[in-house]
Amino acid sequence: MPIMSLEQVIESPFDILIGQAQAVDLLSQAVARQRIAPGYLFVGAPGVGRAIAANAFAELLFSQSESSALRRRIRSRNHPDLLWVEPTYLHQGQRLTAKEAAEAGLKRKGLPQIRLDQIRDVARFLSKPPLEVPRAVVVIEAAERMAEAAANALLKTLEEPGKATLILIAADQQALLPTLISRCQIIPFVRLGPENMARVLTDSGHAEILDSPAILTLAQGSPGAAIAGWQQLLELPDGLLESVTQPLRSRREALEVARQITQTLDTEAQLWLLDYLQQHYWQQALSAQVSNRLQKFEQSRKYLLRYVQPRLVWEVLMLQLVN
């Protein structure tokens, strides 16, 4: 592959990535100078453009010139030399992504995971030479949700990836094995400032979110989190948000609210609601009582992530909020 000029690289798919100048520069120069690492770790908050960057990087690795057909194949995950791995649920022996589980109407308990058999699929994919391009690309989303056995198996693959580049996307590198991190070049992704947030939300057709300070504050500079939070807010059952943000007057009322939450919301939605409530209470007067309540929300989040029975978690939390 002939060396591309830096100008050619920058006038490329990265143009759609807003607010991530450092990441764009690091990846663009890697392609321009033909210094492609076998492994990359795209680390930063969800919703700030990590997956967009992975798509753009794959386009640059696969082609020297602009190609709308190639771009469509990559973004639709329909290229034979691209493998995109997402966390999955297990349902009746079948792996389902979060989107597939939602479309199937499944009540999702816990969070999806990157599983050992998915990493074995990666190894099988990389055992064959690329079909159309010099270098294959594997993208693993939410790598922090990788089970330990899967992480150890991936480590072996990273040691000898062959003609391939692996991209791990993670929110926090501390959640990954140090040996995995050491084999990857870290590409940091930052949260967006107000101007870039407004630009992304407007360009993506979500300008109405700009009129919701609560959602914007909760998103903390992540357009993707703002869009997801807005959707979560719209999908909450009628009256639920009012029930959990108004003072609870009795133990019976607290237990009823906990029942309603666990019967109508899956785990992902419950985690978002905890974040929303924590933000709601934080905006109140910073008294000792409020500070204590914030700690209770954080503890409840940890329990849900550890797969403690959700009904019990919410009952304990709601009872602690009774005035």
Side-chain angles (χ1 to χ4, degrees):
M1 180 187 296
I3 296 179
M4 303 166 64
S5 71
L6 193 56
E7 289 76 14
Q8 285 177 302
V9 174
I10 292 177
E11 294 175 2
S12 76
F14 283 123
D15 287 343
I16 66 174
L17 185 61
I18 296 173
Q20 302 296 345
Q22 182 182 15
V24 169
D25 184 57
L26 290 171
L27 296 172
S28 298
Q29 291 197 42
V31 175
R33 298 172 181 176
Q34 288 194 345
R35 300 184 64 177
I36 312 300
Y40 288 88
L41 174 58
F42 288 9
V43 62
V48 297
R50 302 167 306 165
I52 294 174
N55 275 325
F57 194 41
E59 288 181 42
L60 291 183
L61 293 176
F62 284 178
S63 176
Q64 302 175 41
S65 59
E66 291 292 322
S67 169
S68 58
L70 173 67
R71 182 168 299 172
R72 285 194 298 270
R73 293 175 70 192
I74 291 175
R75 293 181 183 177
S76 63
R77 319 281 160 83
N78 190 31
H79 193 289
D81 299 314
L82 172 67
L83 179 63
W84 200 287
V85 181
E86 299 178 53
T88 58
Y89 296 95
L90 277 181
H91 178 66
Q92 298 179 349
Q94 183 180 8
R95 295 195 310 249
L96 298 176
T97 65
K99 181 179 179 181
E100 291 169 340
E103 291 174 347
L106 299 179
K107 181 69 181 297
R108 295 165 288 176
K109 297 181 179 180
L111 298 174
Q113 294 184 343
I114 301 292
R115 304 177 186 278
L116 176 59
D117 55 350
Q118 291 179 278
I119 301 304
R120 289 172 175 164
D121 288 344
V122 171
R124 284 190 287 269
F125 175 79
L126 296 180
S127 67
K128 303 174 184 178
L131 295 175
E132 298 182 8
V133 294
R135 177 187 297 269
V137 173
V138 174
V139 180
I140 301 179
E141 279 199 73
E144 71 274 10
R145 295 186 186 178
M146 201 180 310
E148 184 176 355
N152 287 326
L154 180 63
L155 183 60
K156 297 178 182 178
T157 301
L158 269 173
E159 290 173 348
E160 297 182 8
K163 295 181 178 181
T165 291
L166 282 77
I167 301 172
L168 309 185
I169 298 177
D172 181 7
Q173 68 185 68
Q174 301 304 318
L176 300 177
L177 291 178
T179 45
L180 276 180
I181 298 172
S182 68
R183 286 165 173 76
C184 295
Q185 179 178 343
I186 297 176
I187 307 295
F189 286 76
V190 299
R191 294 180 181 273
L192 275 60
E195 183 177 342
N196 282 331
M197 276 285 288
R199 179 181 171 189
V200 173
L201 292 174
T202 300
D203 291 350
S204 63
H206 295 90
E208 69 274 14
I209 298 177
L210 298 172
D211 296 323
S212 177
I215 295 296
L216 290 175
T217 301
L218 190 59
Q220 295 183 5
S222 168
I227 294 170
W230 180 255
Q231 191 61 40
Q232 289 279 15
L233 187 63
L234 295 179
E235 292 177 357
L236 287 179
D238 292 341
L240 179 59
L241 192 62
E242 182 178 359
S243 296
V244 295
T245 55
Q246 297 298 317
L248 297 171
R249 296 179 294 273
S250 68
R251 293 172 58 87
R252 180 176 180 179
E253 184 179 3
L255 294 175
E256 174 57 27
V257 170
R259 182 196 65 79
Q260 186 181 5
I261 290 171
T262 53
Q263 285 190 353
T264 59
L265 304 181
D266 61 26
T267 301
E268 292 275 8
Q270 290 178 35
L271 289 169
W272 177 84
L273 182 60
L274 277 174
D275 289 341
Y276 186 95
L277 290 175
Q278 191 170 23
Q279 178 66 28
H280 171 77
Y281 278 96
W282 179 82
Q283 290 177 330
Q284 296 183 9
L286 294 179
S287 64
Q289 182 184 19
V290 171
S291 177
N292 186 43
R293 285 180 173 179
L294 294 181
Q295 294 176 7
K296 290 179 170 57
F297 287 120
E298 188 59 37
Q299 189 64 54
S300 297
R301 164 176 269 277
K302 291 179 180 178
Y303 285 145
L304 287 180
L305 290 173
R306 293 171 184 168
Y307 306 107
V308 175
Q309 213 282 332
R311 179 74 173 265
L312 177 60
V313 173
W314 282 101
E315 285 181 347
V316 171
L317 177 61
M318 292 295 103
L319 287 171
Q320 290 173 330
L321 298 181
V322 174
N323 285 339

